[in-house]
Amino acid sequence: MSDCLFCKIAAGEIPAAIVHQDEAVVAFKDINAQAPLHVLIIPRRHIATLNDLSPDDDGLVGSMLRTAAALAQQHGYHERGYRTVFNTNREAGQTVFHIHLHLLAGRWLTWPPG
Ligand code: AMP
Ligand code: ZN
């Protein structure tokens, strides 16, 4: 998608603080961090929302989650705790329509969320 912010970050056309990348996913620091560690994990391929996933994407979503767990471990939060969130569509607060897994850690995270 030529006008998608996260496609441009994945392609290296817009700078981001990238913390991991491989052939399928890219992870970078959220520009408006809500916790000491706040990373977004995205697929390189454009997928607008979770509603657009197909069974063929199961491995890709698994890679996103395993990347989140690996980053949490690298940063020393795997035992303390961390949160992983996908926001989908308007009422959940999705603002960028290229799926992204939020990884948040480093402070007490309240439940239920706002
Ligand atoms: P969501 O509200 O779930 O769609 O999350 C979108 C996230 O993208 C927000 O937490 C924003 O702070 C973050 N964001 C927006 N633009 C950028 C950017 N250029 N680089 C890094 N994070 C961004
Ligand atoms: Zn995109």
Side-chain angles (χ1 to χ4, degrees):
M1 282 264 297
S2 57
D3 62 347
C4 170
L5 173 64
F6 286 178
C7 280
K8 288 178 178 164
I9 287 176
E13 294 167 6
I14 289 179
I18 291 174
V19 295
H20 169 85
Q21 55 183 325
D22 58 38
E23 67 282 349
V25 306
V26 179
F28 52 94
K29 292 188 177 169
D30 194 296
I31 205 167
N32 184 23
Q34 300 300 313
L37 179 66
H38 188 175
V39 168
L40 304 175
I41 299 111
I42 66 170
R44 287 191 181 276
R45 181 163 56 83
H46 183 84
I47 301 170
T49 79
L50 290 195
N51 296 335
D52 301 300
L53 290 170
S54 75
D56 287 346
D57 298 320
D58 289 359
L60 177 61
V61 175
S63 294
M64 293 170 72
L65 285 161
R66 287 185 6 86
T67 298
L71 289 168
Q73 178 149 20
Q74 280 172 29
H75 288 83
Y77 294 120
H78 60 302
E79 298 289 356
R80 285 171 57 183
Y82 57 92
R83 184 166 294 167
T84 45
V85 178
F86 284 103
N87 294 323
T88 300
N89 280 339
R90 197 175 64 244
E91 287 194 13
Q94 186 176 7
T95 59
V96 179
F97 286 82
H98 177 134
I99 60 169
H100 46 280
L101 179 61
H102 292 260
L103 166 63
L104 297 136
R107 65 171 174 83
W108 283 89
L109 298 165
T110 58
W111 192 264

